[in-house]
Amino acid sequence: MLFAKATFGKFVWWRTVPLLALLALGACTTTDVRTTAFTPLTVEDAAMPEKRLLDVGIVQFDPGLDEAEADEDKLVFPELRHAESRYMAVTLADALQSSQGWGAVRVIPSERTNIDVTVSGRIVQSDGETLTVEVTVTDSRGQRWFTKEYTEQASHYAYDRKNPTKGDAFQGVYNRIANDMIAYRQKLSDESISELRTVSELRFARSFSPHAFDRYLTQSEDGIYQLTALPAEDDPMLARVRRIRERDYLFVDTLQGYYGTFVKSMEQPYQEWRAMSYEEVQQMHELKRKARNHTIMGAAAIIGGIAAAGAGAGSARAAGQVGIAGGGYLIKSGFDRRAEAKMHIEALQELGDSMEAEVEPRIVELEDRTVTLTGSVENQYRQWRELLKQIYQAETGDLGEQI
């Protein structure tokens, strides 16, 4: 409430007027999305020739923890973000495969894998209500296709337990990424696509035997690779590298089963977290709106009360004291609501911590051995590449650089 000065005869007093204008300025509006419509996925013509297909590697998303601010509103839980980094990569891979516009689409542990097209992403915001990711797509030549931020709000119906919608709550984000990639690839000539595939193979070969394959590639100052020559198709060194590459694909393909199992195991608790988080975020928006309004109203009441108390008349001073006391109560009410919002965040923290135990990595069964995946997948893949290096050196006697 605001205090306005009014004069009747020789008496001066202060009356209250509605704070509608100030509330309109101070209120924090929220948007409740109530449509399930999202960007449709572009699907390629099935008759597209195989020579135009490029293999895609999607790196586990960066959880975005380094950039995340120490802000309660962000709802950033490290354990949950690491799980999401895999979940989002797998969901994007499913969208790309469904578009029928690519060769093999794989989730890869790191950018160490030389592949035709690499997709890397960073989670900017993920709280059940809003998903924002930054995605960069580059090819084997080192040419960046694009870096773009994608954001979307979940529909109110996405978490309706009575009538749940099919697919991910943020499927539109993944479809838009896939559509942008298709649009870029469609502009490439057949010659450019063929060059990309060759550069991928030679970069992989060079990582195992630099002295044997360096002469086929040059790299410009801005990091772009170019072909300078081609090895003979019957080159024995190239034949060995191709066998090593097939083994690498075998391992990465095995990891796809791991990623699929991982995502399947986390899907139910993750969707439950998203639904609860969506409700919590909505409640926090409302709490903060009320807290802000109460704080503003309290401050205005105190200011008006101080002015009234200094007016001189006894009745005015009494009214001023009431205004100060009422203003103090409203400010305290605002702080109490902020404390209540913090309690919701702490509840989400406990949920995020408990979820980590439900999505732990497992043992992966390979065709010829059992590999215990201890530590991060990135470390496990690094060990695998070192093993491939040893196999290659045993076959060729090559003592080149480590990869």
Side-chain angles (χ1 to χ4, degrees):
M1 308 294 285
L2 284 175
F3 287 82
K5 184 178 180 181
T7 304
F8 289 89
K10 61 181 179 180
F11 294 98
V12 179
W13 61 289
W14 294 76
R15 65 181 178 86
T16 58
V17 295
L19 192 60
L20 295 177
L22 190 55
L23 285 177
L25 292 174
C28 176
T29 60
T30 60
T31 301
D32 190 4
V33 181
R34 290 183 174 272
T35 176
T36 57
F38 53 77
T39 303
L41 181 68
T42 299
V43 179
E44 279 279 18
D45 185 351
M48 185 176 62
E50 184 179 351
K51 67 179 182 179
R52 286 196 59 82
L53 297 178
L54 293 170
D55 291 344
V56 179
I58 304 174
V59 185
Q60 291 180 191
F61 278 32
D62 181 343
L65 297 176
D66 292 340
E67 296 84 1
E69 298 177 3
D71 186 345
E72 293 173 342
D73 293 356
K74 296 299 182 182
L75 300 175
V76 176
F77 310 131
E79 299 86 355
L80 186 59
R81 277 292 183 90
H82 284 295
E84 287 182 300
S85 69
R86 295 169 182 151
Y87 177 90
M88 292 179 186
V90 173
T91 306
L92 178 56
D94 290 341
L96 290 174
Q97 288 173 334
S98 298
S99 72
Q100 302 179 19
W102 307 96
V105 180
R106 302 176 175 94
V107 178
I108 56 179
S110 70
E111 295 188 30
R112 291 166 64 91
T113 300
N114 300 122
I115 201 162
D116 301 335
V117 180
T118 299
V119 182
S120 58
R122 179 174 62 87
I123 303 173
V124 177
Q125 181 178 359
S126 177
D127 57 18
E129 182 193 45
T130 303
L131 174 64
T132 302
V133 295
E134 183 183 77
V135 172
T136 297
V137 181
T138 57
D139 59 35
S140 59
R141 296 171 302 183
Q143 180 68 50
R144 178 182 296 184
W145 288 13
F146 60 83
T147 294
K148 189 173 179 180
E149 189 172 277
Y150 298 84
T151 188
E152 188 161 303
Q153 279 193 296
S155 164
H156 170 78
Y157 300 109
Y159 305 115
D160 187 344
R161 291 179 174 83
K162 294 182 180 179
N163 300 292
T165 57
K166 294 183 179 180
D168 190 88
F170 302 99
Q171 189 61 48
V173 166
Y174 304 106
N175 289 354
R176 280 187 280 145
I177 298 170
N179 292 350
D180 286 347
M181 289 179 61
I182 285 287
Y184 191 100
R185 197 226 63 217
Q186 288 175 337
K187 298 176 182 178
L188 297 177
S189 66
D190 290 348
E191 292 75 15
S192 295
I193 289 178
S194 177
E195 181 183 359
L196 278 179
R197 296 170 68 166
T198 302
V199 170
S200 301
E201 182 176 67
L202 290 176
R203 286 188 62 187
F204 183 88
R206 197 175 72 162
S207 69
F208 282 86
S209 184
H211 70 271
F213 294 97
D214 259 347
R215 64 181 182 273
Y216 300 116
L217 288 173
T218 60
Q219 189 174 15
S220 64
E221 292 182 358
D222 55 357
I224 304 300
Y225 286 92
Q226 292 182 331
L227 291 173
T228 56
L230 292 175
E233 274 299 313
D234 59 352
D235 186 325
M237 297 288 285
L238 182 61
R240 292 189 182 98
V241 165
R242 285 174 172 169
R243 288 196 296 269
I244 292 292
R245 197 181 188 196
E246 286 302 317
R247 294 182 184 180
D248 187 47
Y249 281 150
L250 174 63
F251 182 83
V252 176
D253 286 340
T254 303
L255 287 183
Q256 304 314 295
Y258 159 77
Y259 284 119
T261 301
F262 182 90
V263 167
K264 187 176 181 180
S265 68
M266 73 169 280
E267 189 167 12
Q268 182 174 351
Y270 182 47
Q271 294 307 324
E272 287 294 326
W273 177 85
R274 273 182 166 179
M276 291 181 64
S277 179
Y278 180 89
E279 295 172 3
E280 297 287 352
V281 170
Q282 292 285 314
Q283 290 181 36
M284 280 189 289
H285 285 329
E286 180 65 14
L287 286 170
K288 288 183 178 295
R289 181 186 67 80
K290 291 179 178 179
R292 180 180 289 106
N293 290 347
H294 281 200
T295 302
I296 293 172
M297 289 162 60
I302 289 175
I303 292 171
I306 291 172
S315 59
R317 282 198 298 270
Q321 293 299 326
V322 171
I324 293 173
Y329 171 79
L330 288 173
I331 289 179
K332 180 180 182 300
S333 175
F335 290 146
D336 288 344
R337 289 182 181 274
R338 288 195 178 95
E340 186 179 348
K342 185 176 181 179
M343 289 174 59
H344 285 290
I345 295 172
E346 291 173 350
L348 287 176
Q349 177 70 64
E350 293 178 3
L351 185 60
D353 291 342
S354 65
M355 183 178 172
E356 175 66 10
E358 297 185 64
V359 291
E360 287 185 3
R362 301 178 182 181
I363 295 176
V364 175
E365 297 287 343
L366 301 178
E367 291 183 357
D368 57 343
R369 74 196 73 184
T370 298
V371 178
T372 302
L373 297 177
T374 58
S376 68
V377 178
E378 291 87 346
N379 288 334
Q380 296 154 22
Y381 183 63
R382 188 176 299 112
Q383 295 168 11
W384 170 253
R385 288 294 295 268
E386 293 296 339
L387 177 60
L388 289 182
K389 182 72 173 181
Q390 295 172 16
I391 294 173
Y392 180 83
Q393 290 175 350
E395 291 180 354
T396 65
D398 191 306
L399 300 177
E401 300 176 9
Q402 295 291 306
I403 57 174

